Amino acid sequence: MRDAVTTLIRNYDLTGRYLDRDAMANLKSYFESGTDRISVAALINANSPVIVKEAGLQLFEEVPELIRPGGNAYTTRRYSACLRDMDYYLRYASYALVAGDPTVLDERVLQGLRETYNSLGVPIAPTVRGIQIMKEKIKAMAADAGVEDTSFVDEPFDHMSREFSEISV
Ligand SMILES: CCC1=C(C)/C(=C/C2=NC(=C\c3[nH]c(/C=C4\NC(=O)[C@H](C)[C@H]4CC)c(C)c3CCC(=O)O)/C(CCC(=O)O)=C2C)NC1=O
């Protein structure tokens, strides 16, 4: 697992360079967003059950065939497996938000997931939609809580969505 600072230092060390203006700008933006990153992580921590539940309800409203007979989230067991997966995405997104770096998602969440999802017939497109619904909810909550620029919230959710879309064959 890495964070914004260790990733940057690693890249400069690999090529034996001092930290230049680009590096400074990068670090400055990471540290300036630090308080907001922590506020959003705290928001997620305090509201995770509600975020997951409401995002799930919205997803099943948008894609109702998921919870009809033959749908992948049909039956109580699979319904809760789906919400549990959404909870995983949310929790790891909160780690990546604080770290300012997505490696934790690659290492702990996305690795090997395609094989699992493909073998169980879990559809990718609605999974990505579920991730995006959570992102939208959190950005709205953060804006309500006074976070002015919520664009950094996109990073981990869009990273997972992108990786998912790339691996969906
Ligand atoms: C922390 C890293 C991590 C992840 C990400 C993870 C995902 C994960 N999701 C699974 C299943 C599942 N995932 C879903 C999810 C969904 N079905 C849908 O229709 C929706 C689109 C979607 C919810 C948004 C479902 C329904 C299952 C159960 C499938 C089955 O057993 O038939 C499984 C198979 C084993 C199990 O059921 O526990 C894994 C490993 N496990 C992990 O340890």
Side-chain angles (χ1 to χ4, degrees):
M1 200 204 129
R2 294 203 296 268
D3 57 46
V5 178
T6 51
T7 296
L8 184 123
I9 291 175
R10 183 172 176 270
N11 290 338
Y12 277 75
D13 185 32
L14 279 174
T15 46
R17 285 176 298 158
Y18 279 94
L19 298 173
D20 56 16
R21 281 164 64 136
D22 284 352
M24 296 308 169
N26 236 307
L27 288 169
K28 204 159 169 270
S29 118
Y30 174 61
F31 286 119
E32 278 170 1
S33 63
T35 317
D36 287 341
R37 289 177 185 277
I38 293 170
S39 305
V40 172
L43 260 177
I44 295 176
N45 172 53
N47 297 286
S48 62
V50 176
I51 296 169
V52 168
K53 187 172 163 237
E54 287 184 357
L57 287 174
Q58 187 177 327
L59 175 65
F60 296 135
E61 215 173 274
E62 289 181 17
V63 195
E65 51 280 17
L66 290 174
I67 50 171
R68 291 197 187 124
N72 188 261
Y74 176 67
T75 75
T76 317
R77 181 187 68 78
R78 289 204 298 260
Y79 189 105
S80 19
C82 178
L83 292 190
R84 180 214 53 198
D85 283 10
M86 302 255 288
D87 187 60
Y88 284 149
Y89 301 135
L90 182 59
R91 180 162 58 88
Y92 281 99
S94 78
Y95 298 163
L97 273 176
V98 170
D101 187 282
T103 4
V104 65
L105 302 172
D106 297 335
E107 292 171 358
R108 307 298 297 276
V109 180
L110 296 164
Q111 204 172 43
L113 198 55
R114 167 185 42 178
E115 290 75 12
T116 306
Y117 268 25
N118 280 349
S119 71
L120 292 168
V122 179
I124 302 286
T127 301
V128 167
R129 181 63 196 133
I131 291 170
Q132 291 295 317
I133 294 171
M134 291 198 289
K135 175 183 91 175
E136 289 157 14
K137 288 192 178 302
I138 291 155
K139 289 185 75 162
M141 289 169 86
D144 283 348
V147 176
E148 272 175 28
D149 180 4
T150 62
S151 58
F152 68 90
V153 176
D154 294 1
E155 290 162 8
F157 296 96
D158 289 354
H159 180 84
M160 286 188 283
S161 301
R162 213 166 30 242
E163 294 295 307
F164 252 129
S165 307
E166 266 167 29
I167 60 181
S168 67
V169 274

